[in-house]
Amino acid sequence: MSETASKARVTPAVPDEPDPGRWKALVFIALAQLMVVLDATIVNIALPSAQQDLGISDGNRQWVVTAYALAFGGLLLFGGRIADLWGRKKAFVVGLGGFAAASALGGAATNEAMMFGARALQGVFGALLAPAALSLLAVMFTDAKERAKAFGIYGAIAGGGGAVGLILGGFLTEYLDWRWTFFVNIPFAVVAAAGAYFVIREPKGGRNRSPLDIPGVFLSTLGLVALVYGFTRAESNGWSDAVTVGMFVASVVLLLAFVVVESRVKAPLLPLRVVTERNRGGIYLSLGLAIIAMFGLFLFLTYYLQIVKGYSPVKTGFAFLPMIAGMITGSTQIGTRLMTRVAPRLLMGPGFLVAALGMLLLTQLEIGSSYAALLLPAMLLLGLGMGTAFMPAMSLATQGVEPRDAGVASAMVNTSQQVGGAIGTALLNTIAASATTSYIADHIVGATSRSQQQLVQLEGQVQGYTSAIWFAVGILVVAAAIALTLVNAGRPNMTPASGAEEGAADEVQIPVVAH
């Protein structure tokens, strides 16, 4: 079928009249997204208490996080394709129900096997839920200005929800019980599922009823699982560990085989047109890099505030509030207001650079650094920059894609974030640990008393954090360069930049048709 015929066949799927319940639907979609993002950080706060209660060994405790990450990261593309096949509303409601059931299982866990199984099950249903939520926004909000507002809200939640998880996790663990960090998902899921069932009206004609690409499912799932596990294992066992190296080799082979299969089958799991379009490719890459920097920062600042500054879990969570405020402002005020006036790259590039400036301030961290003088402005800049960049990235990554591909396009956004998170945690933690070890080895000899030795230990930790943060600054600058270079779509309802590919032209046509 020719490109022109394909466009003609897809155009009727775009609704002439916008769904009157779309803003109500956004509330429930945002609630589900908040639940998934909260879960990523809330469990980390509860982990020490859960480990003690369930008798999980230090060697096995990583599986509380890893079991979820492997299932979620490995099955995202499959989850996105299922959403295209079943319909996003059905996938969304099923994903919420399964996530709630898995959370209840985790909260009721009586041993480590039950906990690990519950976390893996959460990852499975999360991989169905996350792309369904994002693709629902993509197909329901087609007007350029409304789309900017909707994705501004979604971007703020995606970026700031993790910090909210630190506050909520601290409260629940400190004042109730670690089990409530799982049980809290149930009311979120029930309200979001009920609201979605009654309010969401998915546009007709956007399903992809092609037969499921079974080889693609196996290759992508195994390849992504190997990649995520490789980085997770590198953090604990080192980069030269035989299993770590084997996982990386296996992931490269499997993912290359996946690309070959996808280029040849009639109904691919991930149509290569989704990722090879210049703008979407640039967004997946720059977003993944930005997440590498952000995940590392969350980790280091949490340790710095609790171990070096002596903050409680609740106080640590509140310390992240300026970053949340910055993200909400960047997404809903700066990004949303400018999205329809300037090209996306002029928000993404400067946004990542502002975040890099905030990160640059944090390279000056010392044991006695003032929260108000250093951490507060750095977090505000980080939040503003990330919020401003995330909003157009989320929107453009799914804009203009054929309705039948909306699920897998959304899944690729989540995949770039998930893989970026795994890389960021492993890579930056390794850099920090190496710098800390080196600093302590050089300075511990001169420390004669116990208090001096403790001081050197703390100084070594801070030295490790700042060394890793310098790398994060560089990563954000590279993300900005990629966004400014590759993302060349024009603003909505405006002719794309010179040299844009046909897919980019589609992205400015669809909002016009929606009117």
Side-chain angles (χ1 to χ4, degrees):
M1 185 178 286
S2 70
E3 191 75 23
T4 307
S6 174
K7 286 181 184 176
R9 179 173 55 76
V10 170
T11 302
V14 180
D16 292 325
E17 292 296 327
D19 179 2
R22 62 196 179 282
W23 291 108
K24 289 179 184 176
L26 175 62
V27 173
F28 300 112
I29 294 169
L31 190 64
Q33 172 66 11
L34 180 61
M35 180 189 72
V36 172
V37 175
L38 282 177
D39 191 74
T41 51
I42 203 170
V43 173
N44 289 333
I45 296 287
L47 185 54
S49 302
Q51 181 185 355
Q52 189 173 359
D53 272 12
L54 300 179
I56 302 173
S57 68
D58 285 346
N60 285 341
R61 70 182 174 189
Q62 65 161 330
W63 284 102
V64 176
V65 176
T66 304
Y68 177 86
L70 292 181
F72 188 72
L75 292 170
L76 270 168
L77 285 176
F78 183 45
R81 177 64 180 86
I82 291 294
D84 287 336
L85 182 65
W86 285 359
R88 288 107 202 163
K89 177 178 174 176
K90 183 178 179 181
F92 184 72
V93 173
V94 171
L96 280 166
F99 199 90
S103 298
L105 190 66
T110 54
N111 54 54
E112 64 177 32
M114 192 171 170
M115 171 60 77
F116 299 156
R119 288 293 284 160
L121 205 57
Q122 276 187 307
V124 170
F125 285 104
L128 180 63
L129 174 59
L134 187 55
S135 58
L136 274 171
L137 284 191
V139 298
M140 292 179 77
F141 289 90
T142 50
D143 175 82
K145 288 185 178 179
E146 288 192 347
R147 186 182 178 90
K149 289 179 185 176
F151 275 89
I153 294 166
Y154 187 89
I157 290 170
V164 177
L166 294 172
I167 299 173
L168 190 56
F171 265 111
L172 294 173
T173 305
E174 217 166 298
Y175 300 116
L176 289 173
D177 185 79
W178 66 265
R179 295 181 185 278
W180 282 97
T181 60
F182 287 90
F183 292 145
V184 76
N185 289 332
I186 298 170
F188 275 98
V190 170
V191 172
Y197 184 80
F198 290 109
V199 172
I200 290 177
R201 187 165 61 88
E202 187 180 348
K204 295 178 181 179
R207 291 194 189 181
N208 185 345
R209 299 185 186 276
S210 305
L212 200 58
D213 170 21
I214 300 298
V217 169
F218 277 107
L219 290 170
S220 67
T221 301
L222 293 173
L224 288 170
V225 163
L227 183 63
V228 172
Y229 184 59
F231 279 107
T232 304
R233 188 177 173 88
E235 185 186 356
S236 55
N237 292 69
W239 296 92
S240 59
D241 174 68
V243 176
T244 302
V245 174
M247 285 293 151
F248 286 137
V249 172
S251 73
V252 170
V253 172
L254 288 164
L255 292 175
L256 283 175
F258 172 68
V259 172
V260 172
V261 167
E262 298 309 275
S263 66
R264 296 184 179 182
V265 297
K266 287 184 179 179
L269 174 69
L270 175 64
L272 295 182
R273 61 180 174 269
V274 172
V275 290
T276 55
E277 195 277 309
R278 176 173 180 159
N279 291 286
R280 273 190 290 277
I283 282 168
Y284 296 146
L285 191 55
S286 61
L287 204 57
L289 286 169
I291 293 293
I292 290 175
M294 279 296 288
F295 261 68
L297 179 77
F298 270 127
L299 183 73
F300 299 136
L301 278 188
T302 301
Y303 278 124
Y304 174 79
L305 291 170
Q306 289 193 32
I307 295 173
V308 179
K309 304 295 278 186
Y311 285 20
S312 69
V314 173
K315 191 177 179 182
T316 300
F318 276 108
F320 279 99
L321 278 178
M323 190 184 295
I324 301 173
M327 282 184 174
I328 292 171
T329 304
S331 286
T332 62
Q333 299 303 313
I334 301 172
T336 300
R337 291 173 188 274
L338 295 179
M339 179 68 179
T340 55
R341 300 180 186 180
V342 301
R345 69 179 180 276
L346 299 181
L347 289 173
M348 291 178 63
F352 288 139
L353 289 175
V354 168
L357 182 60
M359 200 77 83
L360 189 63
L361 287 179
L362 291 174
T363 60
Q364 306 306 306
L365 270 184
E366 295 175 354
I367 290 178
S369 292
S370 162
Y371 177 84
L374 181 65
L375 289 166
L376 179 63
M379 286 194 192
L380 281 171
L381 286 171
L382 271 162
L384 277 172
M386 286 296 192
T388 302
F390 273 25
M391 198 284 291
M394 293 282 188
S395 178
L396 191 58
T398 54
Q399 195 170 355
V401 74
E402 292 183 22
R404 61 186 177 141
D405 295 333
V408 288
S410 302
M412 274 303 300
V413 176
N414 288 286
T415 300
S416 67
Q417 290 177 306
Q418 186 65 24
V419 173
I423 295 171
T425 305
L427 178 65
L428 296 181
N429 208 30
T430 304
I431 293 166
S434 176
T436 295
T437 303
S438 178
Y439 182 91
I440 292 173
D442 290 344
H443 294 81
I444 199 72
V445 178
T448 52
S449 67
R450 183 173 177 78
S451 61
Q452 286 177 327
Q453 290 174 351
Q454 288 177 336
L455 182 64
V456 169
Q457 296 275 358
L458 288 177
E459 286 174 344
Q461 286 189 32
V462 175
Q463 179 68 29
Y465 302 154
T466 55
S467 297
I469 289 170
W470 271 111
F471 275 86
V473 172
I475 290 168
L476 281 173
V477 171
V478 172
I482 289 170
L484 288 167
T485 306
L486 289 183
V487 180
N488 67 348
R491 64 180 176 84
N493 300 332
M494 171 182 149
T495 305
S498 174
E501 297 175 13
E502 286 188 21
D506 289 350
E507 289 170 5
V508 296
Q509 288 170 0
I510 282 185
V512 180
V513 175
H515 287 301

